[in-house]
Amino acid sequence: MNALLKGKKVIITGGSRGIGRGLVLACAQHGADVVFSYAGNTSAAEATLAEALSFGTRIFALQNNAAISSEAERLVAFTLEKLGGVDILINNAGITRDGLLMRMTEESWNQVLHTNLTSCFFTVKAVQKHFLKQRSGVILNISSVVGASGNAGQANYAASKAGLNGFTKSVAKELGSRNIRCNAIAPGYIETEMTGQLDENTRKAWTESIPLKRAGTPEDVAQLAVFLASDMASYITGQVINVCGGLQM
Ligand SMILES: NC(=O)c1ccc[n+]([C@@H]2O[C@H](COP(=O)([O-])OP(=O)(O)OC[C@H]3O[C@@H](n4cnc5c(N)ncnc54)[C@H](OP(=O)(O)O)[C@@H]3O)[C@@H](O)[C@H]2O)c1
């Protein structure tokens, strides 16, 4: 296998489970050193850490709440201390607090917007000065197809992802002249603990509506992420690219 990220230093938020775990493993497999954060599930983080270390690069896990600005600064400082630099930031940490508008509380609105969107503002601010100094850097934001389509019962989540798409394009425009690229990946229905919360009927209906007739895997998302993070994608910025089995065209 070509090691597309050999020697690159990567930060991944929410890397302990689901898509984040897939991102950590794929980056390690492609030769990158990785610092990943997680919210609180230490046993999942330790399992991912052990698996990723088997690829022979430097991997560190840090409990860190991406939704707090000082925590984003701490995550970047930890990475600089452990890896001696940072080349790639992948904003993956995200949550859902689904519900119809009628029942959606201000608290669940704020939690989702903070964790999924404001967190990316914090981490990008925290790495920006290092990227500017080295005149290179890659930012990948894990969005969702519902950021473009909307979804009943997910007004908070869809708004956070639509905001992330706009943030991605703005960062790409603002930092492109400094050789800093910023793209978003919009997964469709990917099998993780997040979608495991959906009831069986919803999962069946989603799968039926996907042209490729299957849910996606974290690896499906991670393969695009590795490509976009690598020098093979050096002329791609400001894009929101779906990984959804054709669910959204
Ligand atoms: N699954 C899908 O179908 C799907 C579709 C479209 C987009 N996405 C997006 O893909 C991303 C990952 O989703 P997933 O399905 O893999 O979710 P998941 O299985 O629930 O995993 C979420 C990860 O984020 C971490 N996390 C949560 N809140 C955090 C915080 N405040 N600070 C740092 N880390 C935090 C969790 O840490 P702990 O383990 O410690 O809790 C965990 O590692 C999200 O942005 C999600 O919106 C997912």
Side-chain angles (χ1 to χ4, degrees):
M1 172 190 291
N2 284 334
L4 290 181
L5 302 179
K6 197 168 170 30
K8 300 284 188 192
K9 301 172 178 90
V10 186
I11 295 176
I12 299 171
T13 65
S16 53
R17 292 185 288 116
I19 292 172
R21 174 179 165 278
L23 293 167
V24 170
L25 297 179
C27 288
Q29 194 174 12
H30 278 272
D33 296 323
V34 179
V35 167
F36 72 86
S37 70
Y38 64 99
N41 189 335
T42 304
S43 57
E46 281 171 356
T48 299
L49 179 66
E51 217 175 330
L53 281 168
S54 70
F55 294 106
T57 63
R58 293 178 293 170
I59 314 287
F60 299 90
L62 180 71
Q63 186 172 358
N64 183 277
N65 185 350
I68 298 174
S69 71
S70 59
E71 285 282 89
E73 293 285 347
R74 186 169 71 90
L75 176 61
V76 173
F78 178 85
T79 307
L80 294 174
E81 184 199 323
K82 297 292 182 192
L83 304 183
V86 53
D87 303 298
I88 297 159
L89 165 69
I90 307 183
N91 285 313
N92 166 75
I95 58 168
T96 51
R97 295 287 182 271
D98 296 351
L100 296 175
L101 270 176
M102 191 99 81
R103 285 194 222 110
M104 189 173 285
T105 61
E106 187 176 340
E107 190 192 4
S108 79
W109 173 272
N110 285 335
Q111 274 179 353
V112 169
L113 266 291
H114 256 84
T115 307
N116 297 4
L117 177 59
T118 312
S119 64
C120 302
F121 166 67
F122 292 148
T123 50
V124 168
K125 290 261 291 186
V127 292
Q128 185 187 11
K129 44 188 173 288
H130 306 285
F131 283 181
L132 286 173
K133 218 190 291 166
Q134 70 197 16
R135 283 201 152 257
S136 70
V138 177
I139 299 160
L140 291 181
N141 296 321
I142 306 300
S143 181
S144 166
V145 290
V146 306
S149 64
N151 198 19
Q154 289 198 310
N156 50 4
Y157 184 77
S160 74
K161 298 302 188 180
L164 190 52
N165 294 349
F167 179 69
T168 299
K169 293 176 190 196
S170 303
V171 171
K173 285 190 173 176
E174 199 168 315
L175 301 182
S177 64
R178 311 299 179 87
N179 193 31
I180 297 168
R181 297 189 293 111
C182 182
N183 291 292
I185 294 176
Y189 169 30
I190 310 296
E191 258 165 10
T192 67
E193 284 174 42
M194 182 182 273
T195 45
Q197 296 166 12
L198 297 167
D199 64 80
E200 188 57 35
N201 285 344
T202 309
R203 286 209 299 243
K204 253 198 195 138
W206 277 40
T207 308
E208 263 314 298
S209 63
I210 296 169
L212 290 181
K213 298 293 173 211
R214 68 167 177 89
T217 63
E219 292 70 36
D220 290 324
V221 178
Q223 285 179 27
L224 175 62
V226 166
F227 167 71
L228 286 175
S230 78
D231 293 339
M232 287 183 78
S234 59
Y235 200 53
I236 300 176
T237 195
Q239 306 303 309
V240 179
I241 302 177
N242 294 346
V243 179
C244 64
L247 178 66
Q248 193 173 88
M249 298 189 189

